[in-house]
Amino acid sequence: MLKRERQSFIVQQLNIHNKVLSADLSVQLQVSEDTVRRDLQELSDEGRLLKVHGGALSSAYHFTLQDNKVYALREKQVIARKAVGLIKDGMLVLLAGGTTIRELVKALPPTLNATFVTISIPIALELLHHPTCEVIFIGNRLSKNTQVATGAEVVTKLKNIKADLCFMGVNSIDVSGISDLEWEIIEVKKAMIGAAKKTACLSIAEKLHSTQKLKVCELNDIDMLITELPGSSEAFNDYRFATMEIL
């Protein structure tokens, strides 16, 4: 595979999953980790990703409140509009981090009167612009990679909450469940699922049929899967055994 093809593949995987590991890319591309590290460094120098220890992050995922180029923005806006329809006045809603959750916050009706609890600093700051909603940030040690709070204190605080809804982004999803890359993030996501009456996972359809090394939960542990596709799409045929609602 040519260098340009390798680097295009790396960027594609980052766009879909937000983070890649050098060791995984080495296996997928059938090249040495040294070659992968050189590719990551070149892409980092070009501003196309954020190189971190052991891999890289998507530049779009590691966002600030300023406008950024968001991968699959239109699809994420469709997902956000579907998700917003589930939120009612008076609800207590848990929010994870990520660009799809950010689009959800931006789509909130200005008259909505609800309380949002989040582990994500960018999401909390975005919520500050809403005129009537309350925002509670659960903080502890901050992950520089994901810009969310992690650790035992966050998990403990979440156990004392009973939210009406939880919205989480998805790194990877297949018939075996939802999976991710970072153990601490997974522990927080598990606690968020346990802290809500219902959990909705937000995912662009490109993430279907993909998997990572660490499992977050089974499909039956969530209540709704929201993508940009209609719920009747054939893309979900392999997932209809699960009890979750597909929106």
Side-chain angles (χ1 to χ4, degrees), residues 153-162 191 194-195:
E153 186 175 340
V154 173
V155 171
T156 299
K157 288 179 179 178
L158 286 168
K159 287 180 179 179
N160 294 321
I161 295 172
K162 201 58 184 179

Side-chain angles (χ1 to χ4, degrees), residues 63 65 95-103 105 116-128 135 147-148:
F63 57 83
L65 290 182
L95 297 178
T99 52
T100 308
I101 299 293
R102 186 188 186 192
E103 292 307 314
V105 172
F116 291 90
V117 179
T118 184
I119 58 171
S120 166
I121 283 183
I123 298 303
L125 292 175
E126 190 74 56
L127 281 163
L128 290 179
V135 55
Q147 300 178 318
V148 301

